[in-house]
Each structure stands twice: as structure tokens, then as C-alpha cells.
PDB file of all heavy atoms in Angstrom:
ATOM      1  N   SER A  26       0.846  -1.196  -0.002  1.00 83.00           N
ATOM      2  CA  SER A  26       0.000   0.006   0.002  1.00 83.00           C
ATOM      3  C   SER A  26       0.881   1.242   0.002  1.00 83.00           C
ATOM      4  O   SER A  26       1.988   1.251   0.544  1.00 83.00           O
ATOM      5  CB  SER A  26      -0.917   0.000   1.225  1.00 83.00           C
ATOM      6  OG  SER A  26      -0.164  -0.040   2.418  1.00 83.00           O
ATOM      7  N   LEU A  27       0.380   2.284  -0.624  1.00 81.00           N
ATOM      8  CA  LEU A  27       1.113   3.545  -0.755  1.00 81.00           C
ATOM      9  C   LEU A  27       0.503   4.564   0.198  1.00 81.00           C
ATOM     10  O   LEU A  27      -0.704   4.787   0.202  1.00 81.00           O
ATOM     11  CB  LEU A  27       1.014   4.033  -2.199  1.00 81.00           C
ATOM     12  CG  LEU A  27       1.997   5.104  -2.658  1.00 81.00           C
ATOM     13  CD1 LEU A  27       3.394   4.534  -2.736  1.00 81.00           C
ATOM     14  CD2 LEU A  27       1.572   5.639  -4.031  1.00 81.00           C
ATOM     15  N   GLU A  28       1.366   5.176   1.026  1.00 78.00           N
ATOM     16  CA  GLU A  28       0.846   6.208   1.909  1.00 78.00           C
ATOM     17  C   GLU A  28       0.304   7.366   1.070  1.00 78.00           C
ATOM     18  O   GLU A  28       0.981   7.868   0.184  1.00 78.00           O
ATOM     19  CB  GLU A  28       1.954   6.758   2.836  1.00 78.00           C
ATOM     20  CG  GLU A  28       2.714   5.682   3.588  1.00 78.00           C
ATOM     21  CD  GLU A  28       4.068   5.414   2.968  1.00 78.00           C
ATOM     22  OE1 GLU A  28       4.110   5.198   1.719  1.00 78.00           O
ATOM     23  OE2 GLU A  28       5.058   5.437   3.688  1.00 78.00           O
ATOM     24  N   PRO A  29      -0.948   7.753   1.307  1.00 80.00           N
ATOM     25  CA  PRO A  29      -1.602   8.767   0.435  1.00 80.00           C
ATOM     26  C   PRO A  29      -1.169  10.190   0.734  1.00 80.00           C
ATOM     27  O   PRO A  29      -1.996  11.080   0.900  1.00 80.00           O
ATOM     28  CB  PRO A  29      -3.085   8.528   0.721  1.00 80.00           C
ATOM     29  CG  PRO A  29      -3.113   8.094   2.146  1.00 80.00           C
ATOM     30  CD  PRO A  29      -1.867   7.275   2.363  1.00 80.00           C
ATOM     31  N   GLU A  30       0.131  10.411   0.804  1.00 84.00           N
ATOM     32  CA  GLU A  30       0.647  11.753   1.040  1.00 84.00           C
ATOM     33  C   GLU A  30       1.018  12.368  -0.298  1.00 84.00           C
ATOM     34  O   GLU A  30       2.184  12.611  -0.610  1.00 84.00           O
ATOM     35  CB  GLU A  30       1.863  11.702   1.967  1.00 84.00           C
ATOM     36  CG  GLU A  30       1.605  11.097   3.329  1.00 84.00           C
ATOM     37  CD  GLU A  30       0.745  12.002   4.211  1.00 84.00           C
ATOM     38  OE1 GLU A  30       0.711  13.214   3.940  1.00 84.00           O
ATOM     39  OE2 GLU A  30       0.129  11.488   5.147  1.00 84.00           O
ATOM     40  N   TYR A  31      -0.029  12.657  -1.100  1.00 83.00           N
ATOM     41  CA  TYR A  31       0.219  13.026  -2.485  1.00 83.00           C
ATOM     42  C   TYR A  31       0.888  14.392  -2.627  1.00 83.00           C
ATOM     43  O   TYR A  31       1.678  14.607  -3.547  1.00 83.00           O
ATOM     44  CB  TYR A  31      -1.096  12.989  -3.280  1.00 83.00           C
ATOM     45  CG  TYR A  31      -1.669  11.591  -3.351  1.00 83.00           C
ATOM     46  CD1 TYR A  31      -2.881  11.288  -2.766  1.00 83.00           C
ATOM     47  CD2 TYR A  31      -0.957  10.577  -4.003  1.00 83.00           C
ATOM     48  CE1 TYR A  31      -3.399   9.996  -2.819  1.00 83.00           C
ATOM     49  CE2 TYR A  31      -1.457   9.294  -4.052  1.00 83.00           C
ATOM     50  CZ  TYR A  31      -2.670   8.995  -3.466  1.00 83.00           C
ATOM     51  OH  TYR A  31      -3.159   7.717  -3.502  1.00 83.00           O
ATOM     52  N   LYS A  32       0.621  15.294  -1.704  1.00 88.00           N
ATOM     53  CA  LYS A  32       1.266  16.613  -1.769  1.00 88.00           C
ATOM     54  C   LYS A  32       2.770  16.462  -1.639  1.00 88.00           C
ATOM     55  O   LYS A  32       3.548  17.065  -2.387  1.00 88.00           O
ATOM     56  CB  LYS A  32       0.710  17.501  -0.654  1.00 88.00           C
ATOM     57  CG  LYS A  32       1.276  18.918  -0.678  1.00 88.00           C
ATOM     58  CD  LYS A  32       0.651  19.772   0.414  1.00 88.00           C
ATOM     59  CE  LYS A  32       1.234  21.191   0.392  1.00 88.00           C
ATOM     60  NZ  LYS A  32       0.645  22.034   1.457  1.00 88.00           N
ATOM     61  N   GLN A  33       3.190  15.627  -0.679  1.00 88.00           N
ATOM     62  CA  GLN A  33       4.627  15.407  -0.474  1.00 88.00           C
ATOM     63  C   GLN A  33       5.233  14.667  -1.653  1.00 88.00           C
ATOM     64  O   GLN A  33       6.366  14.930  -2.053  1.00 88.00           O
ATOM     65  CB  GLN A  33       4.840  14.635   0.816  1.00 88.00           C
ATOM     66  CG  GLN A  33       6.306  14.508   1.207  1.00 88.00           C
ATOM     67  CD  GLN A  33       6.497  13.861   2.567  1.00 88.00           C
ATOM     68  OE1 GLN A  33       5.540  13.684   3.328  1.00 88.00           O
ATOM     69  NE2 GLN A  33       7.721  13.464   2.865  1.00 88.00           N
ATOM     70  N   ARG A  34       4.460  13.742  -2.225  1.00 89.00           N
ATOM     71  CA  ARG A  34       4.986  12.966  -3.358  1.00 89.00           C
ATOM     72  C   ARG A  34       5.182  13.857  -4.593  1.00 89.00           C
ATOM     73  O   ARG A  34       6.185  13.735  -5.299  1.00 89.00           O
ATOM     74  CB  ARG A  34       4.051  11.805  -3.672  1.00 89.00           C
ATOM     75  CG  ARG A  34       3.999  10.789  -2.539  1.00 89.00           C
ATOM     76  CD  ARG A  34       3.206   9.540  -2.919  1.00 89.00           C
ATOM     77  NE  ARG A  34       3.170   8.626  -1.773  1.00 89.00           N
ATOM     78  CZ  ARG A  34       4.185   7.855  -1.391  1.00 89.00           C
ATOM     79  NH1 ARG A  34       5.306   7.877  -2.097  1.00 89.00           N
ATOM     80  NH2 ARG A  34       4.067   7.057  -0.354  1.00 89.00           N
ATOM     81  N   PHE A  35       4.233  14.735  -4.857  1.00 89.00           N
ATOM     82  CA  PHE A  35       4.384  15.646  -5.997  1.00 89.00           C
ATOM     83  C   PHE A  35       5.523  16.636  -5.749  1.00 89.00           C
ATOM     84  O   PHE A  35       6.207  17.063  -6.677  1.00 89.00           O
ATOM     85  CB  PHE A  35       3.076  16.379  -6.283  1.00 89.00           C
ATOM     86  CG  PHE A  35       2.071  15.528  -7.019  1.00 89.00           C
ATOM     87  CD1 PHE A  35       0.862  15.165  -6.421  1.00 89.00           C
ATOM     88  CD2 PHE A  35       2.326  15.063  -8.296  1.00 89.00           C
ATOM     89  CE1 PHE A  35      -0.058  14.379  -7.100  1.00 89.00           C
ATOM     90  CE2 PHE A  35       1.415  14.256  -8.984  1.00 89.00           C
ATOM     91  CZ  PHE A  35       0.212  13.918  -8.377  1.00 89.00           C
ATOM     92  N   LYS A  36       5.737  16.977  -4.476  1.00 89.00           N
ATOM     93  CA  LYS A  36       6.855  17.855  -4.143  1.00 89.00           C
ATOM     94  C   LYS A  36       8.169  17.158  -4.454  1.00 89.00           C
ATOM     95  O   LYS A  36       9.114  17.776  -4.946  1.00 89.00           O
ATOM     96  CB  LYS A  36       6.785  18.234  -2.662  1.00 89.00           C
ATOM     97  CG  LYS A  36       7.896  19.185  -2.229  1.00 89.00           C
ATOM     98  CD  LYS A  36       7.817  19.528  -0.764  1.00 89.00           C
ATOM     99  CE  LYS A  36       8.936  20.447  -0.340  1.00 89.00           C
ATOM    100  NZ  LYS A  36       8.878  20.759   1.115  1.00 89.00           N
ATOM    101  N   GLN A  37       8.240  15.844  -4.163  1.00 88.00           N
ATOM    102  CA  GLN A  37       9.444  15.079  -4.481  1.00 88.00           C
ATOM    103  C   GLN A  37       9.714  15.082  -5.971  1.00 88.00           C
ATOM    104  O   GLN A  37      10.860  15.196  -6.408  1.00 88.00           O
ATOM    105  CB  GLN A  37       9.294  13.634  -3.987  1.00 88.00           C
ATOM    106  CG  GLN A  37       9.379  13.493  -2.482  1.00 88.00           C
ATOM    107  CD  GLN A  37       9.272  12.051  -2.022  1.00 88.00           C
ATOM    108  OE1 GLN A  37       9.640  11.727  -0.904  1.00 88.00           O
ATOM    109  NE2 GLN A  37       8.764  11.172  -2.855  1.00 88.00           N
ATOM    110  N   ILE A  38       8.652  14.957  -6.755  1.00 90.00           N
ATOM    111  CA  ILE A  38       8.801  14.992  -8.215  1.00 90.00           C
ATOM    112  C   ILE A  38       9.349  16.351  -8.637  1.00 90.00           C
ATOM    113  O   ILE A  38      10.290  16.448  -9.449  1.00 90.00           O
ATOM    114  CB  ILE A  38       7.446  14.724  -8.907  1.00 90.00           C
ATOM    115  CG1 ILE A  38       7.019  13.270  -8.731  1.00 90.00           C
ATOM    116  CG2 ILE A  38       7.503  15.102 -10.383  1.00 90.00           C
ATOM    117  CD1 ILE A  38       7.760  12.285  -9.576  1.00 90.00           C
ATOM    118  N   ALA A  39       8.772  17.415  -8.072  1.00 90.00           N
ATOM    119  CA  ALA A  39       9.201  18.764  -8.434  1.00 90.00           C
ATOM    120  C   ALA A  39      10.650  19.012  -8.057  1.00 90.00           C
ATOM    121  O   ALA A  39      11.424  19.555  -8.852  1.00 90.00           O
ATOM    122  CB  ALA A  39       8.297  19.788  -7.747  1.00 90.00           C
ATOM    123  N   VAL A  40      11.039  18.587  -6.859  1.00 89.00           N
ATOM    124  CA  VAL A  40      12.383  18.872  -6.349  1.00 89.00           C
ATOM    125  C   VAL A  40      13.434  17.997  -7.003  1.00 89.00           C
ATOM    126  O   VAL A  40      14.485  18.490  -7.438  1.00 89.00           O
ATOM    127  CB  VAL A  40      12.418  18.704  -4.816  1.00 89.00           C
ATOM    128  CG1 VAL A  40      13.847  18.744  -4.298  1.00 89.00           C
ATOM    129  CG2 VAL A  40      11.584  19.772  -4.137  1.00 89.00           C
ATOM    130  N   ASN A  41      13.173  16.689  -7.071  1.00 86.00           N
ATOM    131  CA  ASN A  41      14.220  15.763  -7.527  1.00 86.00           C
ATOM    132  C   ASN A  41      14.216  15.495  -9.025  1.00 86.00           C
ATOM    133  O   ASN A  41      15.261  15.191  -9.596  1.00 86.00           O
ATOM    134  CB  ASN A  41      14.102  14.434  -6.769  1.00 86.00           C
ATOM    135  CG  ASN A  41      14.566  14.556  -5.333  1.00 86.00           C
ATOM    136  OD1 ASN A  41      15.632  15.079  -5.077  1.00 86.00           O
ATOM    137  ND2 ASN A  41      13.762  14.109  -4.399  1.00 86.00           N
ATOM    138  N   MET A  42      13.023  15.571  -9.673  1.00 85.00           N
ATOM    139  CA  MET A  42      13.007  15.332 -11.111  1.00 85.00           C
ATOM    140  C   MET A  42      13.157  16.645 -11.877  1.00 85.00           C
ATOM    141  O   MET A  42      14.090  16.822 -12.650  1.00 85.00           O
ATOM    142  CB  MET A  42      11.729  14.618 -11.522  1.00 85.00           C
ATOM    143  CG  MET A  42      11.782  14.093 -12.960  1.00 85.00           C
ATOM    144  SD  MET A  42      10.350  13.119 -13.413  1.00 85.00           S
ATOM    145  CE  MET A  42       9.173  14.394 -13.805  1.00 85.00           C
ATOM    146  N   PHE A  43      12.258  17.587 -11.629  1.00 88.00           N
ATOM    147  CA  PHE A  43      12.322  18.848 -12.368  1.00 88.00           C
ATOM    148  C   PHE A  43      13.413  19.789 -11.812  1.00 88.00           C
ATOM    149  O   PHE A  43      13.973  20.585 -12.548  1.00 88.00           O
ATOM    150  CB  PHE A  43      10.953  19.538 -12.332  1.00 88.00           C
ATOM    151  CG  PHE A  43       9.902  18.804 -13.118  1.00 88.00           C
ATOM    152  CD1 PHE A  43       8.906  18.098 -12.469  1.00 88.00           C
ATOM    153  CD2 PHE A  43       9.934  18.789 -14.489  1.00 88.00           C
ATOM    154  CE1 PHE A  43       7.937  17.405 -13.190  1.00 88.00           C
ATOM    155  CE2 PHE A  43       8.982  18.092 -15.230  1.00 88.00           C
ATOM    156  CZ  PHE A  43       7.988  17.398 -14.572  1.00 88.00           C
ATOM    157  N   GLY A  44      13.677  19.686 -10.499  1.00 88.00           N
ATOM    158  CA  GLY A  44      14.703  20.538  -9.902  1.00 88.00           C
ATOM    159  C   GLY A  44      16.092  19.923  -9.858  1.00 88.00           C
ATOM    160  O   GLY A  44      17.074  20.605  -9.586  1.00 88.00           O
ATOM    161  N   HIS A  45      16.177  18.612 -10.116  1.00 86.00           N
ATOM    162  CA  HIS A  45      17.476  17.913 -10.157  1.00 86.00           C
ATOM    163  C   HIS A  45      18.284  18.101  -8.875  1.00 86.00           C
ATOM    164  O   HIS A  45      19.523  18.190  -8.907  1.00 86.00           O
ATOM    165  CB  HIS A  45      18.308  18.407 -11.342  1.00 86.00           C
ATOM    166  CG  HIS A  45      17.971  17.748 -12.640  1.00 86.00           C
ATOM    167  ND1 HIS A  45      16.693  17.531 -13.048  1.00 86.00           N
ATOM    168  CD2 HIS A  45      18.761  17.214 -13.622  1.00 86.00           C
ATOM    169  CE1 HIS A  45      16.696  16.930 -14.239  1.00 86.00           C
ATOM    170  NE2 HIS A  45      17.935  16.707 -14.606  1.00 86.00           N
ATOM    171  N   LYS A  46      17.603  18.158  -7.709  1.00 85.00           N
ATOM    172  CA  LYS A  46      18.292  18.444  -6.457  1.00 85.00           C
ATOM    173  C   LYS A  46      19.431  17.469  -6.186  1.00 85.00           C
ATOM    174  O   LYS A  46      20.563  17.876  -5.868  1.00 85.00           O
ATOM    175  CB  LYS A  46      17.287  18.411  -5.296  1.00 85.00           C
ATOM    176  CG  LYS A  46      17.916  18.680  -3.936  1.00 85.00           C
ATOM    177  CD  LYS A  46      16.896  18.584  -2.818  1.00 85.00           C
ATOM    178  CE  LYS A  46      17.568  18.796  -1.468  1.00 85.00           C
ATOM    179  NZ  LYS A  46      16.588  18.681  -0.352  1.00 85.00           N
ATOM    180  N   THR A  47      19.151  16.170  -6.306  1.00 86.00           N
ATOM    181  CA  THR A  47      20.181  15.175  -6.011  1.00 86.00           C
ATOM    182  C   THR A  47      21.275  15.172  -7.076  1.00 86.00           C
ATOM    183  O   THR A  47      22.461  15.099  -6.753  1.00 86.00           O
ATOM    184  CB  THR A  47      19.560  13.778  -5.899  1.00 86.00           C
ATOM    185  OG1 THR A  47      18.507  13.812  -4.910  1.00 86.00           O
ATOM    186  CG2 THR A  47      20.597  12.761  -5.466  1.00 86.00           C
ATOM    187  N   LEU A  48      20.873  15.266  -8.338  1.00 84.00           N
ATOM    188  CA  LEU A  48      21.871  15.271  -9.417  1.00 84.00           C
ATOM    189  C   LEU A  48      22.828  16.450  -9.294  1.00 84.00           C
ATOM    190  O   LEU A  48      24.018  16.329  -9.592  1.00 84.00           O
ATOM    191  CB  LEU A  48      21.148  15.336 -10.771  1.00 84.00           C
ATOM    192  CG  LEU A  48      20.815  14.002 -11.422  1.00 84.00           C
ATOM    193  CD1 LEU A  48      19.843  14.207 -12.571  1.00 84.00           C
ATOM    194  CD2 LEU A  48      22.056  13.288 -11.899  1.00 84.00           C
ATOM    195  N   LEU A  49      22.322  17.582  -8.835  1.00 86.00           N
ATOM    196  CA  LEU A  49      23.159  18.778  -8.756  1.00 86.00           C
ATOM    197  C   LEU A  49      24.135  18.769  -7.599  1.00 86.00           C
ATOM    198  O   LEU A  49      24.893  19.715  -7.421  1.00 86.00           O
ATOM    199  CB  LEU A  49      22.280  20.030  -8.705  1.00 86.00           C
ATOM    200  CG  LEU A  49      21.625  20.400 -10.041  1.00 86.00           C
ATOM    201  CD1 LEU A  49      20.558  21.458  -9.862  1.00 86.00           C
ATOM    202  CD2 LEU A  49      22.671  20.854 -11.047  1.00 86.00           C
ATOM    203  N   LYS A  50      24.121  17.689  -6.798  1.00 85.00           N
ATOM    204  CA  LYS A  50      25.174  17.539  -5.783  1.00 85.00           C
ATOM    205  C   LYS A  50      26.533  17.382  -6.484  1.00 85.00           C
ATOM    206  O   LYS A  50      27.560  17.745  -5.929  1.00 85.00           O
ATOM    207  CB  LYS A  50      24.887  16.338  -4.888  1.00 85.00           C
ATOM    208  CG  LYS A  50      23.724  16.580  -3.925  1.00 85.00           C
ATOM    209  CD  LYS A  50      23.486  15.393  -3.033  1.00 85.00           C
ATOM    210  CE  LYS A  50      22.353  15.690  -2.052  1.00 85.00           C
ATOM    211  NZ  LYS A  50      22.076  14.560  -1.145  1.00 85.00           N
TER     212      LYS A  50
END
């Protein structure tokens, strides 16, 4: 089951996929 914290999940997409936060380390 997936925890229904969709706001946080979309934030992860924004930060790590579109923002490249981890890649930019």
C-alpha cells in the first residue's frame, strides 16, 4: 500500500526530477 501523502509525493517529483536536487550535488 502507498501512503496517500500526495502533496509530499508531488513535491518530491518537483524537487528531484524537475529541480534535479540530487543530481546537482
Side-chain angles (χ1 to χ4, degrees):
S26 59
L27 196 69
E28 308 102 309
E30 300 290 338
Y31 296 115
K32 183 178 180 181
Q33 188 174 348
R34 294 187 181 283
F35 282 115
K36 182 180 178 181
Q37 288 182 162
I38 290 285
V40 170
N41 287 311
M42 192 175 81
F43 292 106
H45 277 45
K46 179 182 177 181
T47 305
L48 269 167
L49 286 169
K50 288 182 178 180

